[in-house]
């Protein structure tokens, strides 16, 4: 049974930084797509960033490009989301999710939450102005 546990959320002022962690356990062999999603009250869930553990290729939604960075530590089965220059509109519950994947050269991790069967419990990020 795959388990994902997020940590690192908190409250910061605009312009500040946070680093979220997602520790994975129970994985079988093979590569995975690991994604970070967020959902603010009254808003739809949004895919923020993803990483393919096979070769580290990444994806970012436009609103976080240049500010957020997703990375992985395969030895620790952990994925990170470094969030810099935070804005009040980044306030949301952040979730880590994964699915087993085998991407071709031109492939990309899905940005749809429905593609991810495994989810963490979420960690709250609050950015004040």
């Amino acid at each position: 049974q795959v388990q994902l546990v997020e940590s690192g959320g908190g409250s910061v002022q605009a312009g500040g930084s946070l680093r979220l962690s997602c520790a994975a356990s129970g994985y079988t062999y093979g590569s995975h797509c690991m994604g970070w999603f967020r959902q603010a009250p009254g808003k739809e869930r949004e895919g923020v960033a993803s990483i393919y553990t096979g070769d580290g290729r990444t994806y970012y939604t436009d609103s976080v490009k240049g500010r957020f960075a997703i990375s992985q530590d395969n030895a620790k089965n952990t994925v990170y989301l470094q969030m810099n220059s935070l804005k009040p509109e980044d306030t949301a519950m952040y979730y880590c999710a994964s699915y087993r994947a085998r991407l071709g050269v031109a492939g990309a991790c899905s940005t749809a939450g429905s593609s991810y069967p495994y989810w963490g419990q979420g960690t709250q990020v609050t950015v004040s102005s």
Side-chain angles (χ1 to χ4, degrees):
Q1 181 72 16
V2 175
Q3 290 188 324
L4 303 174
V5 179
E6 303 100 331
S7 61
S11 297
V12 296
Q13 290 191 329
S17 298
L18 285 172
R19 188 177 80 155
L20 306 183
S21 299
C22 174
S25 61
Y27 273 145
T28 57
Y29 63 92
S31 301
H32 293 77
C33 281
M34 303 290 296
W36 284 98
F37 292 80
R38 65 186 180 187
Q39 188 165 22
K43 294 188 177 181
E44 292 188 356
R45 182 174 58 194
E46 174 188 27
V48 176
S50 65
I51 188 166
Y52 176 53
T53 64
D55 60 13
R57 72 184 78 171
T58 58
Y59 158 84
Y60 299 93
T61 193
D62 286 345
S63 63
V64 308
K65 284 180 180 177
R67 300 190 297 121
F68 290 11
I70 190 170
S71 62
Q72 61 179 343
D73 184 334
N74 288 336
K76 296 182 179 180
N77 279 342
T78 300
V79 171
Y80 304 97
L81 185 68
Q82 178 67 43
M83 304 186 296
N84 300 323
S85 301
L86 282 161
K87 304 175 181 180
E89 51 264 43
D90 294 318
T91 295
M93 184 71 80
Y94 282 71
Y95 299 90
C96 174
S98 75
Y99 69 95
R100 198 167 157 212
R102 187 174 181 180
L103 301 182
V105 173
C109 290
S110 173
T111 59
S114 58
S115 297
Y116 293 74
Y118 306 112
W119 291 81
Q121 81 289 352
T123 185
Q124 178 68 37
V125 171
T126 302
V127 185
S128 58
S129 57

